[in-house]
Amino acid sequence: MSHFNSNSLFTGGIRGRTIMEAAAKGASAGVSSKADSLLNRTMMQLLEHVEYRLITGGEDLEAIYRLRYQSYLKSGMCGPIASGMFEDRWDNLPNSYRFGVYCYGELVSTLRFHYISSEQPYSPSIDAYPEVLLPRLARGETFIDGTRFATDPDAAPAPGVLPFLTLRIAMVASNYFGQDSVLTPVKVEHSHFYARFFNAVQRSEAKQFPGVLAPIALFEIPAGENMRRTLERFPFYNSTPMEQRLMFGNPAINRLTPLTILPTAKYYRTAA
């Protein structure tokens, strides 16, 4: 397998720290701007070797369930499971989208989404935080609920890139659905990343979350102007309408062959 050359991209000017660390800990606007620029250059190069797969069955589905299990077991999110796979009752809902992220042909991370509306109010966050979300659904708000985020750090092409590669799917989804906000149920100790890069706001205290052992708090990433600023700051999150339609135009729950989608951030300006 070819390896992404991260030496110059991840060390020059930031004293050996990863991009994420540099951007999150930057003490000045200049340091932060420099880290953002480095992140954008790195991610644009890396996206040349990435593909996203909308997975609905077959061996790829088993692979993301195994990745979930290995990641969750290592982090204490779940206990031993005889099958070695982690799946749940929300995986096969009609508003569910399961993705694998592949780099150089290898599975490196996975993420699942539910698009939630008053017509389809089904997702783990709805069950975990009904007091927060049901009144808003009744008012006509819509959400994307991102759950079951899992990574294989040993397969990462460079330090610190997997969250950005994986959560790019959320930005593509946001452009497609035009929802009011993205829901991100996470451990409170991980929330600084979502606040730093997406302006996420905490909406609940940490509590028992369906299917996992660790207490989880609900964070919300507002759409609209907030998403527009995020796309301007990080252009690798941009996507063409074609990429958006391929990812989310049809969940195709019964499809046995995964649908492979190539990132289109580099084509965004010419296709817009």
Side-chain angles (χ1 to χ4, degrees), residues 104-164:
Y104 296 103
E106 292 191 6
L107 177 65
V108 296
S109 63
T110 180
L111 185 64
R112 182 185 66 196
F113 287 98
H114 292 85
Y115 175 65
I116 314 167
S117 65
S118 58
E119 290 76 26
Q120 291 188 313
Y122 315 118
S123 82
S125 290
I126 293 293
D127 289 354
Y129 315 104
E131 71 284 358
V132 176
L133 297 174
L134 289 180
R136 297 177 61 179
L137 284 176
R139 294 196 295 267
E141 293 188 53
T142 57
F143 305 95
I144 294 169
D145 188 17
T147 56
R148 302 313 184 225
F149 178 22
T151 66
D152 180 3
D154 293 335
V161 300
L162 291 185
F164 298 104

Side-chain angles (χ1 to χ4, degrees), residues 81-214:
I81 300 174
S83 67
M85 294 187 286
F86 188 106
E87 57 182 309
D88 61 40
R89 68 179 185 271
W90 299 278
D91 273 314
N92 290 297
L93 294 176
N95 62 331
S96 173
Y97 302 78
R98 293 162 297 194
F99 286 94
V101 181
Y102 293 76
C103 191
Y104 296 103
E106 292 191 6
L107 177 65
V108 296
S109 63
T110 180
L111 185 64
R112 182 185 66 196
F113 287 98
H114 292 85
Y115 175 65
I116 314 167
S117 65
S118 58
E119 290 76 26
Q120 291 188 313
Y122 315 118
S123 82
S125 290
I126 293 293
D127 289 354
Y129 315 104
E131 71 284 358
V132 176
L133 297 174
L134 289 180
R136 297 177 61 179
L137 284 176
R139 294 196 295 267
E141 293 188 53
T142 57
F143 305 95
I144 294 169
D145 188 17
T147 56
R148 302 313 184 225
F149 178 22
T151 66
D152 180 3
D154 293 335
V161 300
L162 291 185
F164 298 104
L165 286 178
T166 311
L167 295 172
R168 182 178 176 273
I169 304 171
M171 302 303 293
V172 179
S174 185
N175 280 321
Y176 178 79
F177 288 109
Q179 77 299 322
D180 290 282
S181 61
V182 177
L183 306 176
T184 55
V186 296
K187 293 180 180 179
V188 173
E189 57 265 34
H190 296 164
S191 63
H192 66 280
F193 170 81
Y194 295 90
R196 174 68 179 84
F197 291 100
F198 299 100
N199 298 311
V201 180
Q202 187 170 353
R203 297 302 188 198
S204 81
E205 298 299 321
K207 60 187 291 188
Q208 186 65 45
F209 192 83
V212 298
L213 300 177

